[in-house]
Amino acid sequence: MNIGAKIRNARNNAGLTQEQAAEALGVSRQTISNWENEKSYPDIISVVKMSDLYSISLDALLKEDNNMEETYLGYLEESTNVVKSKEKFSKLILILVYIGIWAFSVMFFWLFTAPSDAMAYGLVFQWIIMPVTTFIVALLIGKRNYFGRKKWFAPIIMGVMFMLNGYATFDMANMTAFKVVRWPDFSFGFAGLIIAAAGMGIGVFVRRKIEKKKSK
């Protein structure tokens, strides 16, 4: 028996219509129809949800037919690799955007900011653009669960980047003018850490609320 027929029989045995199954699984009725007619395949998360919804084991859905099992598991492996590649690309883009904005703010200071513009620069870049960017990037990392448990190192790293932004601009200009060497202002690092941690926490909260809603 092919997987489409197994999914259809499992749904019928559970006494559910395609509309009811679609609502419970968070997909469209057409998607259910496509799965049952093998016009497309469900992803692994949908298979696990169907196993719970239809009260049927994963073995019963995926096994008992070697050809079907190999075909579907091959599809799952391929689709999983695609998802992982997209996730890696998204993480890379997010990191590059943050570093790019950080680097642009430093270059803008040295290339386009006159002494009389220092206050405006500080207001725009250090009090608006960098805090907002830090918060949004941290929020996205938390919401998408990038880097797993290691994601909580991100606020520390972003706090350091936040501190170095001020050190590479105003502090460096003052040190050059007065020919002295100073330590970075650690209060900026602490502020950046707090902003990033807040964004991360909200992102994690939103992700868990969404997952909880989908599991109902």
PDB file of all heavy atoms in Angstrom, residues 176-202:
ATOM      1  N   THR A 176      42.956  59.659  19.784  1.00  0.00           N
ATOM      2  CA  THR A 176      43.834  60.187  18.739  1.00  0.00           C
ATOM      3  C   THR A 176      44.124  61.665  18.970  1.00  0.00           C
ATOM      4  O   THR A 176      45.266  62.129  18.824  1.00  0.00           O
ATOM      5  CB  THR A 176      43.181  60.004  17.356  1.00  0.00           C
ATOM      6  OG1 THR A 176      42.940  58.614  17.120  1.00  0.00           O
ATOM      7  CG2 THR A 176      44.088  60.541  16.254  1.00  0.00           C
ATOM      8  N   ALA A 177      43.088  62.408  19.365  1.00  0.00           N
ATOM      9  CA  ALA A 177      43.246  63.850  19.569  1.00  0.00           C
ATOM     10  C   ALA A 177      44.138  64.158  20.764  1.00  0.00           C
ATOM     11  O   ALA A 177      44.971  65.071  20.705  1.00  0.00           O
ATOM     12  CB  ALA A 177      41.870  64.498  19.748  1.00  0.00           C
ATOM     13  N   PHE A 178      43.970  63.396  21.850  1.00  0.00           N
ATOM     14  CA  PHE A 178      44.715  63.687  23.084  1.00  0.00           C
ATOM     15  C   PHE A 178      45.906  62.759  23.309  1.00  0.00           C
ATOM     16  O   PHE A 178      46.595  62.863  24.331  1.00  0.00           O
ATOM     17  CB  PHE A 178      43.765  63.611  24.289  1.00  0.00           C
ATOM     18  CG  PHE A 178      42.683  64.654  24.263  1.00  0.00           C
ATOM     19  CD1 PHE A 178      41.389  64.318  23.886  1.00  0.00           C
ATOM     20  CD2 PHE A 178      42.963  65.971  24.600  1.00  0.00           C
ATOM     21  CE1 PHE A 178      40.388  65.280  23.860  1.00  0.00           C
ATOM     22  CE2 PHE A 178      41.966  66.939  24.580  1.00  0.00           C
ATOM     23  CZ  PHE A 178      40.669  66.599  24.192  1.00  0.00           C
ATOM     24  N   LYS A 179      46.121  61.857  22.336  1.00  0.00           N
ATOM     25  CA  LYS A 179      47.259  60.939  22.396  1.00  0.00           C
ATOM     26  C   LYS A 179      47.313  60.156  23.708  1.00  0.00           C
ATOM     27  O   LYS A 179      48.333  60.093  24.399  1.00  0.00           O
ATOM     28  CB  LYS A 179      48.570  61.704  22.185  1.00  0.00           C
ATOM     29  CG  LYS A 179      48.699  62.286  20.782  1.00  0.00           C
ATOM     30  CD  LYS A 179      50.011  63.028  20.610  1.00  0.00           C
ATOM     31  CE  LYS A 179      50.244  63.433  19.175  1.00  0.00           C
ATOM     32  NZ  LYS A 179      49.154  64.189  18.547  1.00  0.00           N
ATOM     33  N   VAL A 180      46.179  59.575  24.054  1.00  0.00           N
ATOM     34  CA  VAL A 180      46.074  58.730  25.242  1.00  0.00           C
ATOM     35  C   VAL A 180      45.409  57.409  24.847  1.00  0.00           C
ATOM     36  O   VAL A 180      44.806  57.292  23.778  1.00  0.00           O
ATOM     37  CB  VAL A 180      45.247  59.418  26.354  1.00  0.00           C
ATOM     38  CG1 VAL A 180      45.949  60.665  26.858  1.00  0.00           C
ATOM     39  CG2 VAL A 180      43.841  59.731  25.854  1.00  0.00           C
ATOM     40  N   VAL A 181      45.529  56.434  25.723  1.00  0.00           N
ATOM     41  CA  VAL A 181      44.876  55.141  25.502  1.00  0.00           C
ATOM     42  C   VAL A 181      43.902  54.886  26.643  1.00  0.00           C
ATOM     43  O   VAL A 181      44.268  55.005  27.814  1.00  0.00           O
ATOM     44  CB  VAL A 181      45.912  53.999  25.422  1.00  0.00           C
ATOM     45  CG1 VAL A 181      45.190  52.647  25.255  1.00  0.00           C
ATOM     46  CG2 VAL A 181      46.867  54.227  24.269  1.00  0.00           C
ATOM     47  N   ARG A 182      42.684  54.551  26.318  1.00  0.00           N
ATOM     48  CA  ARG A 182      41.653  54.298  27.327  1.00  0.00           C
ATOM     49  C   ARG A 182      41.000  52.938  27.094  1.00  0.00           C
ATOM     50  O   ARG A 182      40.992  52.427  25.987  1.00  0.00           O
ATOM     51  CB  ARG A 182      40.576  55.389  27.267  1.00  0.00           C
ATOM     52  CG  ARG A 182      41.092  56.789  27.571  1.00  0.00           C
ATOM     53  CD  ARG A 182      40.007  57.812  27.312  1.00  0.00           C
ATOM     54  NE  ARG A 182      40.473  59.178  27.560  1.00  0.00           N
ATOM     55  CZ  ARG A 182      39.783  60.261  27.222  1.00  0.00           C
ATOM     56  NH1 ARG A 182      38.609  60.134  26.588  1.00  0.00           N
ATOM     57  NH2 ARG A 182      40.265  61.463  27.491  1.00  0.00           N
ATOM     58  N   TRP A 183      40.428  52.436  28.162  1.00  0.00           N
ATOM     59  CA  TRP A 183      39.646  51.214  28.052  1.00  0.00           C
ATOM     60  C   TRP A 183      38.285  51.536  27.430  1.00  0.00           C
ATOM     61  O   TRP A 183      37.806  52.661  27.537  1.00  0.00           O
ATOM     62  CB  TRP A 183      39.432  50.591  29.433  1.00  0.00           C
ATOM     63  CG  TRP A 183      40.657  49.954  30.007  1.00  0.00           C
ATOM     64  CD1 TRP A 183      41.493  50.495  30.931  1.00  0.00           C
ATOM     65  CD2 TRP A 183      41.166  48.656  29.712  1.00  0.00           C
ATOM     66  NE1 TRP A 183      42.512  49.633  31.233  1.00  0.00           N
ATOM     67  CE2 TRP A 183      42.332  48.478  30.495  1.00  0.00           C
ATOM     68  CE3 TRP A 183      40.762  47.620  28.862  1.00  0.00           C
ATOM     69  CZ2 TRP A 183      43.095  47.311  30.448  1.00  0.00           C
ATOM     70  CZ3 TRP A 183      41.501  46.454  28.814  1.00  0.00           C
ATOM     71  CH2 TRP A 183      42.652  46.303  29.603  1.00  0.00           C
ATOM     72  N   PRO A 184      37.674  50.558  26.782  1.00  0.00           N
ATOM     73  CA  PRO A 184      36.316  50.787  26.266  1.00  0.00           C
ATOM     74  C   PRO A 184      35.345  51.078  27.406  1.00  0.00           C
ATOM     75  O   PRO A 184      35.596  50.706  28.559  1.00  0.00           O
ATOM     76  CB  PRO A 184      35.963  49.453  25.583  1.00  0.00           C
ATOM     77  CG  PRO A 184      37.270  48.791  25.311  1.00  0.00           C
ATOM     78  CD  PRO A 184      38.184  49.220  26.429  1.00  0.00           C
ATOM     79  N   ASP A 185      34.273  51.744  27.091  1.00  0.00           N
ATOM     80  CA  ASP A 185      33.236  52.056  28.074  1.00  0.00           C
ATOM     81  C   ASP A 185      32.355  50.813  28.240  1.00  0.00           C
ATOM     82  O   ASP A 185      31.497  50.520  27.410  1.00  0.00           O
ATOM     83  CB  ASP A 185      32.400  53.244  27.590  1.00  0.00           C
ATOM     84  CG  ASP A 185      31.415  53.723  28.650  1.00  0.00           C
ATOM     85  OD1 ASP A 185      31.199  52.983  29.636  1.00  0.00           O
ATOM     86  OD2 ASP A 185      30.851  54.818  28.484  1.00  0.00           O
ATOM     87  N   PHE A 186      32.585  50.089  29.340  1.00  0.00           N
ATOM     88  CA  PHE A 186      31.872  48.823  29.534  1.00  0.00           C
ATOM     89  C   PHE A 186      30.370  49.025  29.745  1.00  0.00           C
ATOM     90  O   PHE A 186      29.598  48.077  29.597  1.00  0.00           O
ATOM     91  CB  PHE A 186      32.477  48.058  30.708  1.00  0.00           C
ATOM     92  CG  PHE A 186      33.871  47.564  30.427  1.00  0.00           C
ATOM     93  CD1 PHE A 186      34.968  48.221  30.969  1.00  0.00           C
ATOM     94  CD2 PHE A 186      34.080  46.461  29.612  1.00  0.00           C
ATOM     95  CE1 PHE A 186      36.259  47.773  30.698  1.00  0.00           C
ATOM     96  CE2 PHE A 186      35.364  46.017  29.334  1.00  0.00           C
ATOM     97  CZ  PHE A 186      36.459  46.671  29.886  1.00  0.00           C
ATOM     98  N   SER A 187      29.966  50.233  30.095  1.00  0.00           N
ATOM     99  CA  SER A 187      28.528  50.482  30.266  1.00  0.00           C
ATOM    100  C   SER A 187      27.798  50.328  28.934  1.00  0.00           C
ATOM    101  O   SER A 187      26.641  49.900  28.894  1.00  0.00           O
ATOM    102  CB  SER A 187      28.287  51.872  30.845  1.00  0.00           C
ATOM    103  OG  SER A 187      28.728  52.890  29.957  1.00  0.00           O
ATOM    104  N   PHE A 188      28.483  50.661  27.821  1.00  0.00           N
ATOM    105  CA  PHE A 188      27.883  50.464  26.503  1.00  0.00           C
ATOM    106  C   PHE A 188      27.697  48.973  26.216  1.00  0.00           C
ATOM    107  O   PHE A 188      26.690  48.561  25.643  1.00  0.00           O
ATOM    108  CB  PHE A 188      28.763  51.089  25.415  1.00  0.00           C
ATOM    109  CG  PHE A 188      28.448  52.523  25.129  1.00  0.00           C
ATOM    110  CD1 PHE A 188      29.138  53.544  25.754  1.00  0.00           C
ATOM    111  CD2 PHE A 188      27.433  52.850  24.234  1.00  0.00           C
ATOM    112  CE1 PHE A 188      28.843  54.872  25.494  1.00  0.00           C
ATOM    113  CE2 PHE A 188      27.137  54.175  23.966  1.00  0.00           C
ATOM    114  CZ  PHE A 188      27.840  55.188  24.598  1.00  0.00           C
ATOM    115  N   GLY A 189      28.699  48.182  26.619  1.00  0.00           N
ATOM    116  CA  GLY A 189      28.578  46.739  26.433  1.00  0.00           C
ATOM    117  C   GLY A 189      27.435  46.162  27.231  1.00  0.00           C
ATOM    118  O   GLY A 189      26.691  45.301  26.745  1.00  0.00           O
ATOM    119  N   PHE A 190      27.266  46.643  28.459  1.00  0.00           N
ATOM    120  CA  PHE A 190      26.174  46.165  29.301  1.00  0.00           C
ATOM    121  C   PHE A 190      24.822  46.555  28.708  1.00  0.00           C
ATOM    122  O   PHE A 190      23.882  45.760  28.705  1.00  0.00           O
ATOM    123  CB  PHE A 190      26.317  46.742  30.720  1.00  0.00           C
ATOM    124  CG  PHE A 190      25.277  46.243  31.682  1.00  0.00           C
ATOM    125  CD1 PHE A 190      25.321  44.937  32.156  1.00  0.00           C
ATOM    126  CD2 PHE A 190      24.248  47.079  32.108  1.00  0.00           C
ATOM    127  CE1 PHE A 190      24.351  44.477  33.045  1.00  0.00           C
ATOM    128  CE2 PHE A 190      23.295  46.625  32.991  1.00  0.00           C
ATOM    129  CZ  PHE A 190      23.348  45.316  33.464  1.00  0.00           C
ATOM    130  N   ALA A 191      24.751  47.795  28.198  1.00  0.00           N
ATOM    131  CA  ALA A 191      23.502  48.247  27.565  1.00  0.00           C
ATOM    132  C   ALA A 191      23.166  47.389  26.351  1.00  0.00           C
ATOM    133  O   ALA A 191      22.017  46.981  26.154  1.00  0.00           O
ATOM    134  CB  ALA A 191      23.626  49.711  27.164  1.00  0.00           C
ATOM    135  N   GLY A 192      24.182  47.093  25.522  1.00  0.00           N
ATOM    136  CA  GLY A 192      23.962  46.253  24.357  1.00  0.00           C
ATOM    137  C   GLY A 192      23.525  44.853  24.741  1.00  0.00           C
ATOM    138  O   GLY A 192      22.650  44.256  24.097  1.00  0.00           O
ATOM    139  N   LEU A 193      24.129  44.302  25.809  1.00  0.00           N
ATOM    140  CA  LEU A 193      23.750  42.973  26.277  1.00  0.00           C
ATOM    141  C   LEU A 193      22.289  42.950  26.721  1.00  0.00           C
ATOM    142  O   LEU A 193      21.551  42.004  26.411  1.00  0.00           O
ATOM    143  CB  LEU A 193      24.664  42.554  27.421  1.00  0.00           C
ATOM    144  CG  LEU A 193      24.510  41.113  27.942  1.00  0.00           C
ATOM    145  CD1 LEU A 193      25.849  40.589  28.448  1.00  0.00           C
ATOM    146  CD2 LEU A 193      23.476  41.043  29.072  1.00  0.00           C
ATOM    147  N   ILE A 194      21.875  43.979  27.460  1.00  0.00           N
ATOM    148  CA  ILE A 194      20.483  44.050  27.942  1.00  0.00           C
ATOM    149  C   ILE A 194      19.513  44.135  26.770  1.00  0.00           C
ATOM    150  O   ILE A 194      18.478  43.449  26.742  1.00  0.00           O
ATOM    151  CB  ILE A 194      20.291  45.257  28.877  1.00  0.00           C
ATOM    152  CG1 ILE A 194      21.104  45.068  30.165  1.00  0.00           C
ATOM    153  CG2 ILE A 194      18.815  45.444  29.208  1.00  0.00           C
ATOM    154  CD1 ILE A 194      20.714  43.872  30.985  1.00  0.00           C
ATOM    155  N   ILE A 195      19.842  44.980  25.788  1.00  0.00           N
ATOM    156  CA  ILE A 195      18.975  45.127  24.611  1.00  0.00           C
ATOM    157  C   ILE A 195      18.862  43.808  23.857  1.00  0.00           C
ATOM    158  O   ILE A 195      17.763  43.377  23.476  1.00  0.00           O
ATOM    159  CB  ILE A 195      19.511  46.233  23.684  1.00  0.00           C
ATOM    160  CG1 ILE A 195      19.391  47.598  24.370  1.00  0.00           C
ATOM    161  CG2 ILE A 195      18.758  46.241  22.355  1.00  0.00           C
ATOM    162  CD1 ILE A 195      20.131  48.710  23.647  1.00  0.00           C
ATOM    163  N   ALA A 196      20.013  43.146  23.636  1.00  0.00           N
ATOM    164  CA  ALA A 196      20.013  41.875  22.910  1.00  0.00           C
ATOM    165  C   ALA A 196      19.281  40.790  23.692  1.00  0.00           C
ATOM    166  O   ALA A 196      18.530  39.998  23.111  1.00  0.00           O
ATOM    167  CB  ALA A 196      21.447  41.438  22.612  1.00  0.00           C
ATOM    168  N   ALA A 197      19.494  40.735  25.008  1.00  0.00           N
ATOM    169  CA  ALA A 197      18.828  39.723  25.835  1.00  0.00           C
ATOM    170  C   ALA A 197      17.309  39.924  25.830  1.00  0.00           C
ATOM    171  O   ALA A 197      16.549  38.956  25.811  1.00  0.00           O
ATOM    172  CB  ALA A 197      19.367  39.778  27.264  1.00  0.00           C
ATOM    173  N   ALA A 198      16.884  41.198  25.836  1.00  0.00           N
ATOM    174  CA  ALA A 198      15.447  41.488  25.784  1.00  0.00           C
ATOM    175  C   ALA A 198      14.850  41.012  24.459  1.00  0.00           C
ATOM    176  O   ALA A 198      13.795  40.377  24.432  1.00  0.00           O
ATOM    177  CB  ALA A 198      15.212  42.982  25.965  1.00  0.00           C
ATOM    178  N   GLY A 199      15.535  41.322  23.364  1.00  0.00           N
ATOM    179  CA  GLY A 199      15.068  40.863  22.056  1.00  0.00           C
ATOM    180  C   GLY A 199      15.033  39.353  21.968  1.00  0.00           C
ATOM    181  O   GLY A 199      14.070  38.763  21.471  1.00  0.00           O
ATOM    182  N   MET A 200      16.088  38.701  22.474  1.00  0.00           N
ATOM    183  CA  MET A 200      16.156  37.245  22.453  1.00  0.00           C
ATOM    184  C   MET A 200      15.022  36.630  23.272  1.00  0.00           C
ATOM    185  O   MET A 200      14.359  35.686  22.833  1.00  0.00           O
ATOM    186  CB  MET A 200      17.496  36.787  23.022  1.00  0.00           C
ATOM    187  CG  MET A 200      17.710  35.283  22.976  1.00  0.00           C
ATOM    188  SD  MET A 200      18.264  34.722  21.370  1.00  0.00           S
ATOM    189  CE  MET A 200      19.921  35.392  21.349  1.00  0.00           C
ATOM    190  N   GLY A 201      14.798  37.182  24.450  1.00  0.00           N
ATOM    191  CA  GLY A 201      13.744  36.659  25.318  1.00  0.00           C
ATOM    192  C   GLY A 201      12.372  36.773  24.688  1.00  0.00           C
ATOM    193  O   GLY A 201      11.561  35.842  24.753  1.00  0.00           O
ATOM    194  N   ILE A 202      12.091  37.914  24.075  1.00  0.00           N
ATOM    195  CA  ILE A 202      10.797  38.102  23.411  1.00  0.00           C
ATOM    196  C   ILE A 202      10.663  37.142  22.229  1.00  0.00           C
ATOM    197  O   ILE A 202       9.603  36.557  22.006  1.00  0.00           O
ATOM    198  CB  ILE A 202      10.634  39.563  22.946  1.00  0.00           C
ATOM    199  CG1 ILE A 202      10.531  40.487  24.170  1.00  0.00           C
ATOM    200  CG2 ILE A 202       9.402  39.726  22.051  1.00  0.00           C
ATOM    201  CD1 ILE A 202      10.526  41.959  23.828  1.00  0.00           C
TER     202      ILE A 202
END
